[in-house]
Amino acid sequence: MYNFLQRLSGITSFAMSTLMALAVVIALTTPFIPSTPTHSLNLHNVQTTTGRMVDPLDKQSRSAEYARLTFDLDADLASMLNWNTKILFAYLAVDYVTDDFETNTVVVWDRIIRNERQAKLKLRKHHNKYLLRNFAKTFDGASPANLTLYVNPVPYLGIMYDKPLTSVGFQIPRPVKASK
């Protein structure tokens, strides 16, 4: 016969193996839960200025070009929240190509969504939260850009992935010279 500790070890091993198999099944099936978020993104205005914004961490920021976006965002992301979703990370990113770099992606706005009430986004004439600045300090040679809404569901258990929802194309204009 087995003693108490051997029986406890067997039961614990079986329980851990069962929980591990359940965790793998959860992690593999969660991305396939259907969701139908509704969304619309409108870009109203893009303005480019030179040296108006000051970044205290970047000493060269006063001589750079910055773009300011004005956009509308309507989104209902509540269908993406399920029993395995801890939070949703929604963000707007601008993607463009320059002569120096093949891929440029700049996050200009973000929001952390924790519940269904916060999942309903209705932004009107909202501006970018973060600076849109090119690494080369000027937008010369920048191709037409895309403003894209991404959502990253952060699960309790499983893999994280970015889901692009909608995109709007635009051209980054030349900076407006300030009159004295």
Side-chain angles (χ1 to χ4, degrees):
M1 289 305 272
Y2 297 108
N3 66 19
F4 175 73
L5 290 178
Q6 288 173 325
R7 290 179 183 171
L8 182 64
S9 175
I11 291 171
T12 305
S13 295
F14 176 74
M16 288 297 133
S17 299
T18 305
L19 287 175
M20 205 53 170
L22 182 63
V24 168
V25 168
I26 289 171
L28 292 177
T29 58
T30 299
F32 300 108
I33 295 173
S35 66
T36 55
T38 59
H39 46 76
S40 78
L41 177 63
N42 295 321
L43 186 62
H44 290 291
N45 192 8
V46 180
Q47 294 177 337
T48 308
T49 59
T50 302
R52 295 291 179 223
M53 308 246 182
V54 177
D55 186 358
L57 301 176
D58 188 0
K59 295 183 193 277
Q60 298 174 348
S61 66
R62 293 177 190 257
S63 61
E65 291 181 3
Y66 300 93
R68 182 180 172 115
L69 309 175
T70 305
F71 59 89
D72 289 346
L73 175 63
D74 284 326
D76 185 4
L77 306 175
S79 67
M80 296 184 77
L81 294 167
N82 58 47
W83 55 272
N84 192 27
T85 304
K86 185 175 184 177
I87 61 170
L88 293 176
F89 182 68
Y91 63 97
L92 287 171
V94 175
D95 302 310
Y96 59 95
V97 176
T98 60
D99 297 334
D100 297 331
F101 299 102
E102 196 171 301
T103 304
N104 294 286
T105 303
V106 180
V107 174
V108 294
W109 176 87
D110 65 0
R111 171 96 30 108
I112 295 174
I113 300 166
R114 293 183 173 89
N115 54 40
E116 289 190 15
R117 185 179 54 83
Q118 293 176 344
K120 294 176 182 16
L121 302 174
K122 192 167 190 171
L123 305 175
R124 294 285 178 252
K125 297 205 176 179
H126 202 74
H127 298 289
N128 46 321
K129 186 176 179 181
Y130 306 112
L131 296 177
L132 174 55
R133 185 185 110 186
N134 192 15
F135 187 72
K137 296 188 213 170
T138 180
F139 288 110
D140 286 339
S143 68
N146 287 320
L147 180 65
T148 307
L149 173 64
Y150 292 95
V151 178
N152 183 344
V154 179
Y156 286 107
L157 182 66
I159 59 170
M160 293 186 351
Y161 59 93
D162 284 338
K163 184 174 183 178
L165 294 183
T166 185
S167 185
V168 175
F170 68 97
Q171 182 67 40
I172 300 174
R174 295 301 312 138
V176 178
K177 303 287 185 200
S179 59
K180 293 182 180 181

